[in-house]
Amino acid sequence: MRLGPPEVGDPETLIAVLRQVDRALDPGSWIRAVGYHESVFGELDRWALDRVLPNRPVRVQHRSGALWILNSRAAALVSLDDCDLPGVERDDAGQPTGRLWRLDSWLAERLPRRSVSLSAISARALRMGIVGFTDATPELPDESISDLAEAVRRGEISQRLVCMAPAKARDPEVARFTLGPIKIILDDETLPGIYDFAADITAAHAAGRPVAVHCVTRTQLALTQSALDIAGIAPGDRIEHAAIVPEESIPWLREHGVQVVTQPHFVTERGAQYRRDVPAYEHSDLWRLRSLLDGGVAVAAGTDAPFGNTDPWAAIRAAVHRPSWLPVNDCVPAGRALALFLGKPMAPGVPRTIAPGHAADMTLLRVPRAEALRNPTAELVAATWVDGELAYLTSRY
């Protein structure tokens, strides 16, 4: 359930949505919500959630992915008051506020396992023409890696799957499953020392893995550039998001061969918040696209689901039609926008080759490409193949 803009935009709607879901659930079941932003209800904490639903466990994820907020019932079930970890926010009296920063793994270990239909998710993605996923969960535990690989092996997940697993992770050696880059998360409030950061990159490279560094601010990108200068660049190193890219950073990205995986639809989905929260002098650096491509940077796009719209066609349309309030016209033509999703699984900024002997991952559209980018409601995909096998065929044929 999404609990932020555009679906939920004010306190009254948030309260109504939570209480409506509460009435539909069995007693004791958890409510899990994502996409929260402060513009809806301010700085949400356990006591604010208690005023809405005091008797059911509730956990709400901030749209940044960095923060979970628990109400008091949920806090009690995970023994939050007994937890002594740096990511547990506390008030002046030392009591946990219910706000957990970058504690996804700790929280997941204490939650009831949810039964998720991976086959249903895979089937829906095939209908949208998606032939591959990247799981970008940081520090994914071995059990989860094994579960995902087994789901691919059994055919529950038809697509190829690249998993950003830790350096110590064991490769399950399953066809269509690949251990991808090592995800490194940066937060401005807890930035690592430059040499510690460089050492982490060096360790990833020594394990034979590139790095994918989460950069959403000018400071994070500058620190990453410096750390990579010290550690050296490995093939496949990439910047995740690149929400703010100063013009002077573009030559560095090109010359060092560092790819950018960005989300062009965020300026559409989150435009109101960006206009209010991002200083005007940074608007020209916000979610760059054409200027990166014109600067010779290898660029790919992703949806960043569940933090963004799961439909890649929405991101493609957003790359073609960027909001007029942005001072730089960084939109791209339709063909170039589509190509942002056509890269290699381990090198998304590098176009795949259509030739005998290469992987036959293909999508056949029912409508011309131009119409697909104009009409967000059309049934676009006629058929989808993964590794040469027909995985989806519309009932219209």
Side-chain angles (χ1 to χ4, degrees), residues 1 17-32 46 49-60 69-77:
M1 175 184 68
V17 168
L18 282 175
R19 288 179 175 169
Q20 180 181 17
V21 173
D22 174 56
R23 290 191 294 270
L25 289 178
D26 294 332
S29 297
W30 283 67
I31 287 180
R32 174 185 178 273
R46 68 191 293 177
L49 288 173
D50 288 348
R51 289 192 291 272
V52 181
L53 289 180
N55 299 318
R56 179 184 296 280
V58 179
R59 57 186 173 115
V60 177
I69 307 111
L70 310 183
N71 70 348
S72 293
R73 179 62 182 148
L77 290 174

Side-chain angles (χ1 to χ4, degrees), residues 219-233:
T219 301
Q220 292 168 17
L221 181 58
L223 179 65
T224 299
Q225 291 176 237
S226 298
L228 284 168
D229 280 335
I230 295 170
I233 310 294

Side-chain angles (χ1 to χ4, degrees), residues 68-106:
W68 281 100
I69 307 111
L70 310 183
N71 70 348
S72 293
R73 179 62 182 148
L77 290 174
V78 301
S79 302
L80 181 60
D81 290 348
D82 299 326
C83 177
D84 186 21
L85 290 174
V88 177
E89 184 179 287
R90 297 178 180 274
D91 63 14
D92 292 341
Q95 184 177 8
T97 64
R99 294 162 61 87
L100 309 180
W101 295 92
R102 299 293 184 197
L103 289 178
D104 297 68
S105 297
W106 178 89

Side-chain angles (χ1 to χ4, degrees), residues 4 46 58 89 238 248 275 396:
R46 68 191 293 177
V58 179
E89 184 179 287
R238 64 205 238 188
E248 59 269 22
R275 294 182 74 176
R396 292 175 177 265

Side-chain angles (χ1 to χ4, degrees), residues 342-365:
L342 302 182
K344 298 178 179 180
M346 283 293 290
V350 179
R352 282 178 281 186
T353 302
I354 302 175
H358 288 261
D361 299 337
M362 300 182 293
T363 300
L364 176 65
L365 298 183

